[in-house]
Structure formats: C-alpha cells, structure tokens
Amino acid sequence: MIDSGKIIEYLDNGRFICALITEAQPKRVRLINQNGREVNLPASRIVHCSKMVLSPETSRDTLVKTLKEITDKRQELVDQISLKDIWELTIEEPSDTFDPDFLAELSFGQELNDDITAAFLRCVFLDKLYFKYKEGKLRAHSEDQVEQIRLQREREAQKAELIAKGAYTIREMMRHGKSSQETTRWQEECLKLLRDYYLFGNDADNADIARQILKEAELTRPHDAYHILVKAGVWNKNENIPLLRSNLSVSFSLPARQQAEGILQSRLEDLFNDTGRVDYTHLKPMTIDGATTLDFDDALSVEKKGDDYLVGIHISDVSHYVRPGDPLFQEAMKRGTSIYFPEGQIPMLPRHLSQGICSLIQGEIRATFSFMILMTAEAEVKRVRIHPSIIKVARRLTYEEVDRIIQSDEELKILNVLKRKLRERRLSQGALLLPFPDVNIFIDTASRVHVSLGRTDTPARTLVSEMMILANSEAARYISDRMVPGLFRSQPPLRQRIVHGEDDDLFLNIRQRKQLPRGELSTNANPHSGLGVSHYTTVTSPIRRLLDLVMQHQLNTITRRLEPCFTEDMCRDFSSIITRALSAANNVKQQRHRYWLIRYLQERKGQLVNALVIDSGPKRVTLVLTDILMDVDLASPSGYRPTPGTTIQLRVSKADPMDNTVRFDWP
C-alpha cells in the first residue's frame, strides 16, 4: 500500500504527471497533481512512487511549485539517457527482465535516487522501442522485436505524412484544380488511394488511409472522392464506374497486341493456297447492318438453282487467325463477348482485327465460313454444305436501305420470301417472336442524353435474324449429328403462353417475356422452345462472342475431317467460362444502361412521363416507361388500382444516377 505524503507519477493521456498523495486506500488514492488539481486515481495507474515524503502541512502553492520543479528536473535527466546504449548491454544478459532501479543506475553510473529512476521510466514510456514496462518490471525487447517496432513506426510516420499532405493536396485541388509541381507525387498517390476506395470501399487496400484523408480534408459526402477524381482529370464526369468495379479487361496484353500486328501481315495467297477452303469470290454477297457498324461478321448471297435457291450465309472465319492457346484467344476467354455502351465499346478482339482483317468489308478478300443451303421455294432445306471459304463482299447495305428496296431488288426479294417461309415454319413449331424495341441512347456534345426507340421487326432486320437463326440451327445439327462435342443453347418448353403468331403488342410481349423459362448453355443439343428449333448454337458472331469462336473451331476441324479441336471436358469448361464472362459483362452493361436512363430522367425532373401498367396488385404496381422502356415498381396509389395494359402518367420526383435512384409520384 502506498502511504499518503508520497510523491508519485502517473500517466494521463500519454503524459507523465507528478503528484502528492493526500489520502491512500488499498485500491485508490486521492492526490494533488502538479497542475493543482485534486484527483481520485486507481492505484494501478501509478508508475513510480518516490521514497521522499512531503509534509501534509505544506501549502498548496508551495506543493504545486515543488511538484513542477521535480518534473522539470526529471525531464532534464531524460535528455541524458540513451536507451539504446542500455538496451545493447541488456541483450547480452541471460534474462530479459530487469528492475527499473538497476537499469536507471546503470544508465547514469552514479548513486541511485528517486529522480534518476523516475526519469528512466519516463524515458521508457516515451520511447517504447527497446523496453516494455509491466507490473513494475522492464522487459528488454529482442533484436527482432526492435526491428519490427522500428519498421512499424516508419510505416505509421509515412501514413501520417500521407494523410496530412494528401488532405492538403486535395483541398488545394478542389480550390484551384491540379496541385502544384511540388505535390505531384502526393497527388498521384492520394488519387490512387481515393480511386480504389471509391470503387471498392472497405475492401480496398489502405481504405482506412483514404477515409482519413477525406475526413482530414473535410470531404465526407458519399461522392466527394468521385468529384475529386473528376476535377483531377483521372475520370470524366460520366465515368463508367460499374466497368471499373468489374475488373473487366479494357486493354489488350502486349503479346495479344503483338499477335494482332502479326496477323495484319497475313498474305492473301495463304487463303487461296489452303486446299480445304472453297473459293466463292465469284458470288456477290451483301452485308446488311446498321449505318454506324464497323465490324461486319456476316454476309448473304442467293442464287437460283432451277426451281430451288442456294442461299449462302457467310461468316467471318475468325478461327483462321485466333487459335486456342494464342494470346488473342486467351484475351477472348477473359472477355467472353464484346460489350457495347452508349459512349463506346469494349471489343472482344482488337479493333484492327474486328474492324479490319476479320471484318467483311466491301470489296476486300476475306476468309469466311460459308453455309451453302439449298432450299425449295417453300424454304424447305434440301441440302447443307458447310466449309471454310473465301469471299469478296459486293454490296454494303444498311437496314434502312434494304427496307426501301426490298421489294424491287431481286436478291433481297427472294431472301425476303424465304425469310417469311422460315418464320412461318418456326411459328408453327411454337416459336415466340416477341419483338421488343431497341433503346438507343445518344449523348450529345453538351452531355445531354437523348433516347429513341428503334424497331427490331423491320423487314431488313427480320431477314438477317432469320438467316442467322437458320445458320446457327444448321451448325448445331451438323455438329450434333456427327456426335462431336459442342456447346448448344436450349430452352425448356413454355408453361404459359400469352402471345401467339406475330403479335407485336408491347404489353403482351412484356408479360410473355416474364413467363419465359431460363435458357441453358450445355454440351447437349436440346430443343430451343422460344426459337422453335430442335438444335441451336451460335456461330454467326465470332468477332463478338467467344461461344461462336469456339464452335467455329469445332466446325473448322470436322469440316476438314480432322479430330475435333475441343473435347467434351473442354467444352464443359468453356461453358462455365462463357457463363461467368457473360454474366459479368451483362451486369456491367445493364448498370451502365440504367445510369444513362436515370441521367435522361434527371433532366426531366418534375415532368410527366408515360408508363404502361404491367401488373397491378393491392400493394405494388409494376410499370414500364414507354419512351425509354425502363421498369418501374411503385407502391399502389391510394383510392384506385391501375388497370394492367393501360397507359398512365407518372411524375419524375427524383433521379440521381450517382446513387442509382429514381423516384416517381402518381399524378
């Protein structure tokens, strides 16, 4: 037990305080400290107790003065102590635990007193690098422990410096734009921290540092980091955040770029010298695509053969250039598909391939896969020949051009008649057409968002889609009939049918889409109920889809009577890879699509928008905004229940694309 009248020292917020005990109990003491304050203190907090005693009759002023003098004297002694020297002596001792008096006396080399011991303890508490105080004893750290503590201190100092300078840099940046040359290094490091923190939150490396930088800079709103990065020029004001969070590849590896450069040096003679490739350059195939399309992967030709027609569906032979194991094939496996955004695209293959040597450009010799399908006037398939080929596109047509001339152009007229017959047959086999407008988003130079709907069931578009369905189903049949491993798309039978024939009612089509069973990708060729075909895969977009490229490789080997390129197990692996890649890509695409639609609505806050009622229940109403085809779910209005199939108006009350929130009020 410590008696009253003793001078003690205790720690308060990391500072040593000198005090006199005025009343002592077994576990607590009352005291007056060097600042003249009376304190009730747990005895366990006392670090040092002097032997000297002060008379209780000493006046308070004298007592406080004495305590301050003792504190000053002990602090002067602290400056004379070298803990490192004492520690180096202790590590040679067999024990690592010492009495403070022993080490204090060793440090000064003179007769021990209260001030020397107290000063030594102060030094130990101020610099905990070499010793640890516990229960009245000092334990010397090992050399490894000292090194670890030193490294930890350096990291903490760097962290504190980064937070302080980072916060200053950010404040300056928000006021004046980019920081001065002297703070460039800090700016870059801080911006990287803020970028990762905004994208990944607490999962980001050094999230705590980024959080403290923002707090120190008094920037604590949810999107402050985003605005800093925009102001610094790291991001644009409509940065694709879902894409950055997805870690999807947006650039190609050096080996892939080098391979692509090598492909550009390919010689046309190699195509003509390939004995397994059929020369169709005498045909006059045409491409039919959008006006802004740059990657043409399919072309069509038609010839009259007596009473029949020979339809050529020519697909870019990407497998000739991109082969399994190649860097470009590895890139395609990572991406799975090309992704299209209103502001641009992320291609599956480099643009000088997808828009160059692999694109079926008018007037250029190209390697292709040709589906030469002999059909009757009723579009009955009589014979199918599939083989690697060479073509030269004669005409490049847009959808709009084809729609204008489809009844006057002889080739287009024939293809259109065959298209109608093919479609009628699929409908008779249960196919669902379900035309749904394309939502076209355009951002002008002033960053205003424009949305328009484009019909997908125009004569030109349905002609192309019908021919692609034909080629894909025949490719699936060809591979399946030969019992070759492959990847096939299928869809279970529809349980509830709402739409029949060529109904194009938006309300019914949306309701029917909600009833569609989930499609499957597997190594078994099962029927596809939605398309009304018994076999189905996709091979017609090898520039844009990994699945099509994989199946094109299978076709390439078996049409040349070689061993299949991929085994059953490899196809299963591809199925998993493709499913994951498509899920990630579609998720990013949908989020980005929604961002722009909310931006569109943000510009129309307070205005009325048209909405089609899809479902109406006692608690919730499901609608679709008819101008932009955005799904909306609202609490049912009080007093009445909207009728499904009717069009009503909603008022845009809030739209925040950054928060991914949009709210509507009933009119």
Side-chain angles (χ1 to χ4, degrees):
M1 180 174 170
I2 300 175
D3 298 328
S4 59
K6 290 289 184 72
I7 294 176
I8 59 96
E9 288 195 318
Y10 68 94
L11 282 170
D12 185 22
N13 291 325
R15 294 177 61 250
F16 268 86
I17 304 295
C18 193
L20 175 73
I21 296 177
T22 58
E23 181 183 341
Q25 296 177 359
K27 293 187 178 182
R28 301 192 71 83
V29 294
R30 291 188 64 82
L31 51 83
I32 297 175
N33 67 22
Q34 65 191 50
N35 299 317
R37 289 181 56 218
E38 294 188 15
V39 179
N40 190 345
L41 188 77
S44 59
R45 286 184 58 187
I46 296 174
V47 177
H48 177 259
C49 179
S50 299
K51 295 176 183 158
M52 68 178 294
V53 178
L54 285 180
S55 169
E57 283 117 17
T58 305
S59 69
R60 179 181 286 263
D61 290 344
T62 301
L63 174 61
V64 169
K65 180 180 178 183
T66 301
L67 292 174
K68 286 183 177 179
E69 290 173 349
I70 292 172
T71 294
D72 292 342
K73 182 178 181 181
R74 291 176 178 180
Q75 192 57 46
E76 289 176 5
L77 290 172
V78 166
D79 297 335
Q80 303 174 31
I81 298 171
S82 173
L83 286 181
K84 180 180 179 182
D85 292 343
I86 301 302
W87 171 76
E88 288 176 346
L89 293 174
T90 62
I91 58 176
E92 299 175 359
E93 297 293 323
S95 173
D96 64 353
T97 304
F98 303 91
D99 188 274
D101 288 345
F102 170 74
L103 293 181
E105 188 172 17
L106 186 65
S107 176
F108 283 91
Q110 66 185 62
E111 186 177 350
L112 195 69
N113 60 44
D114 289 337
D115 293 333
I116 288 174
T117 301
F120 191 82
L121 286 172
R122 281 178 178 239
C123 198
V124 168
F125 274 90
L126 289 171
D127 183 0
K128 298 178 182 178
L129 178 60
Y130 301 104
F131 297 97
K132 180 179 180 179
Y133 178 85
K134 187 175 181 180
E135 296 177 352
K137 298 291 184 180
L138 293 176
R139 173 170 290 178
H141 292 144
S142 67
E143 291 179 280
D144 286 344
Q145 287 175 315
V146 168
E147 183 61 22
Q148 289 173 7
I149 295 170
R150 182 181 287 112
L151 291 174
Q152 178 63 26
R153 286 183 176 182
E154 289 178 2
R155 287 193 291 268
E156 290 175 353
Q158 291 170 357
K159 175 180 174 181
E161 185 180 22
L162 179 59
I163 292 170
K165 290 192 174 182
Y168 171 79
T169 299
I170 288 169
R171 283 194 295 266
E172 289 297 296
M173 195 183 310
M174 293 301 288
R175 291 192 191 103
H176 312 296
K178 284 194 174 183
S179 302
S180 63
Q181 188 64 35
E182 291 75 14
T183 57
T184 296
R185 180 174 67 86
W186 295 105
Q187 174 181 312
E188 291 178 355
E189 193 166 352
C190 290
L191 291 176
K192 183 181 183 306
L193 287 172
L194 297 184
R195 175 190 182 278
D196 292 346
Y197 180 62
Y198 186 80
L199 292 177
F200 307 112
N202 291 332
D203 292 332
D205 293 337
N206 299 312
D208 59 324
I209 297 179
R211 200 163 37 243
Q212 290 182 61
I213 288 174
L214 289 168
K215 183 178 179 181
E216 184 77 14
E218 299 180 345
L219 297 168
T220 55
R221 292 174 298 181
H223 303 296
D224 279 341
Y226 180 95
H227 297 305
I228 292 167
L229 291 159
V230 170
K231 196 168 184 71
V234 177
W235 288 344
N236 65 58
K237 62 181 180 181
N238 290 301
E239 191 68 30
N240 193 335
I241 298 302
L243 175 61
L244 297 179
R245 285 181 175 144
S246 71
N247 287 321
L248 292 174
S249 297
V250 295
S251 60
F252 291 92
S253 66
L254 177 59
R257 296 198 305 271
Q258 290 173 334
Q259 184 191 350
E261 292 295 333
I263 289 172
L264 294 180
Q265 309 305 316
S266 300
R267 299 182 307 166
L268 287 178
E269 291 83 354
D270 294 338
L271 296 179
F272 289 100
N273 292 333
D274 182 353
T275 56
R277 195 173 291 277
V278 180
D279 185 352
Y280 283 130
T281 54
H282 63 281
L283 298 177
K284 299 188 181 302
M286 69 190 87
T287 60
I288 305 173
D289 283 280
T292 59
T293 300
L294 296 173
D295 48 356
F296 305 99
D297 50 17
D298 59 81
L300 301 174
S301 64
V302 63
E303 294 178 287
K304 191 146 179 24
K305 295 290 184 180
D307 293 332
D308 300 325
Y309 298 98
L310 182 62
V311 175
I313 304 171
H314 312 278
I315 309 301
S316 173
D317 186 1
V318 180
S319 67
H320 177 70
Y321 301 106
V322 181
R323 297 170 183 173
D326 288 348
L328 283 171
F329 195 87
Q330 297 299 320
E331 288 282 348
M333 287 180 62
K334 285 195 300 184
R335 296 161 190 254
T337 182
S338 295
I339 311 176
Y340 296 87
F341 302 114
E343 65 270 33
Q345 70 167 127
I346 302 173
M348 187 178 78
L349 299 173
R351 284 185 173 83
H352 43 292
L353 296 187
S354 60
Q355 298 177 9
I357 199 168
C358 292
S359 183
L360 306 185
I361 299 171
Q362 181 180 357
E364 299 289 339
I365 298 291
R366 288 293 183 259
T368 49
F369 248 89
S370 292
F371 292 74
M372 305 305 293
I373 305 175
L374 185 65
M375 288 190 283
T376 68
E378 294 299 314
E380 294 283 354
V381 175
K382 296 178 68 173
R383 187 188 71 215
V384 179
R385 297 284 187 268
I386 306 174
H387 35 239
S389 57
I390 307 170
I391 70 165
K392 182 165 70 171
V393 171
R395 291 195 287 171
R396 184 263 199 257
L397 300 174
T398 66
Y399 291 125
E400 292 75 19
E401 288 173 330
V402 171
D403 287 337
R404 287 197 301 269
I405 65 174
I406 199 164
Q407 297 302 327
S408 58
D409 184 280
E410 193 60 32
E411 290 178 311
L412 291 173
K413 186 188 296 185
I414 293 170
L415 289 172
N416 193 43
V417 170
L418 295 174
K419 171 207 74 174
R420 287 200 298 266
K421 300 292 184 182
L422 288 168
R423 176 163 287 205
E424 288 169 5
R425 185 172 301 111
R426 288 198 304 111
L427 286 170
S428 69
Q429 294 168 357
L432 286 166
L433 301 183
L434 305 181
F436 202 72
D438 282 334
V439 179
N440 302 311
I441 300 173
F442 171 71
I443 300 95
D444 65 23
T445 54
S447 294
R448 288 188 296 267
V449 184
H450 305 270
V451 181
S452 63
L453 302 183
R455 289 186 58 191
T456 57
D457 57 348
T458 65
R461 290 178 181 273
T462 55
L463 187 156
V464 173
S465 67
E466 207 61 48
M467 295 303 160
M468 296 307 112
I469 291 171
L470 175 62
N472 288 327
S473 58
E474 290 300 334
R477 189 190 311 278
Y478 187 90
I479 292 173
S480 178
D481 286 352
R482 286 157 181 76
M483 301 183 70
V484 171
L487 288 169
F488 304 95
R489 292 201 175 278
S490 61
Q491 189 177 54
L494 187 67
R495 293 182 180 178
Q496 182 180 359
R497 192 174 189 99
I498 300 172
V499 173
H500 301 272
E502 299 191 56
D503 290 346
D504 62 354
D505 182 272
L506 181 63
F507 170 69
L508 295 178
N509 285 343
I510 292 174
R511 292 287 292 264
Q512 186 70 82
R513 281 170 175 257
K514 293 178 180 294
Q515 299 294 327
L516 291 178
R518 183 183 295 273
E520 298 174 358
L521 177 65
S522 69
T523 55
N524 299 315
N526 294 318
H528 195 296
S529 65
L531 293 174
V533 294
S534 58
H535 303 71
Y536 199 71
T537 185
T538 56
V539 297
T540 53
S541 293
I543 290 176
R544 296 188 279 252
R545 291 194 296 246
L546 174 61
L547 171 59
D548 301 51
L549 179 56
V550 168
M551 292 301 286
Q552 194 174 75
H553 273 292
Q554 289 297 75
L555 280 174
N556 183 53
T557 50
I558 61 177
T559 55
R560 294 174 183 268
R561 293 179 170 79
L562 301 174
E563 283 295 313
C565 188
F566 303 118
T567 65
E568 182 85 13
D569 287 342
M570 294 169 74
C571 286
R572 287 198 189 91
D573 290 341
F574 277 126
S575 177
S576 299
I577 291 168
I578 290 168
T579 300
R580 287 197 301 270
L582 289 181
S583 176
N586 288 334
N587 184 44
V588 170
K589 183 178 178 180
Q590 289 167 9
Q591 289 185 66
R592 191 57 173 170
H593 183 85
R594 180 175 170 84
Y595 171 89
W596 287 115
L597 293 185
I598 296 177
R599 271 284 317 274
Y600 174 85
L601 292 171
Q602 187 179 41
E603 297 169 5
R604 287 153 182 80
K605 183 179 177 182
Q607 297 180 19
L608 293 174
V609 292
N610 294 324
L612 176 64
V613 181
I614 305 301
D615 286 306
S616 183
K619 294 184 178 180
R620 310 295 300 180
V621 178
T622 303
L623 312 97
V624 169
L625 303 185
T626 55
D627 292 337
I628 60 175
L629 300 185
M630 175 188 268
D631 293 331
V632 175
D633 181 79
L634 291 178
S636 298
S638 58
Y640 78 102
R641 185 182 297 183
T643 304
T646 60
T647 299
I648 62 173
Q649 290 191 313
L650 302 175
R651 190 178 304 280
V652 182
S653 60
K654 179 182 180 182
D656 189 336
M658 297 291 294
D659 287 329
N660 188 30
T661 57
V662 59
R663 294 177 189 164
F664 300 91
D665 293 331
W666 296 102

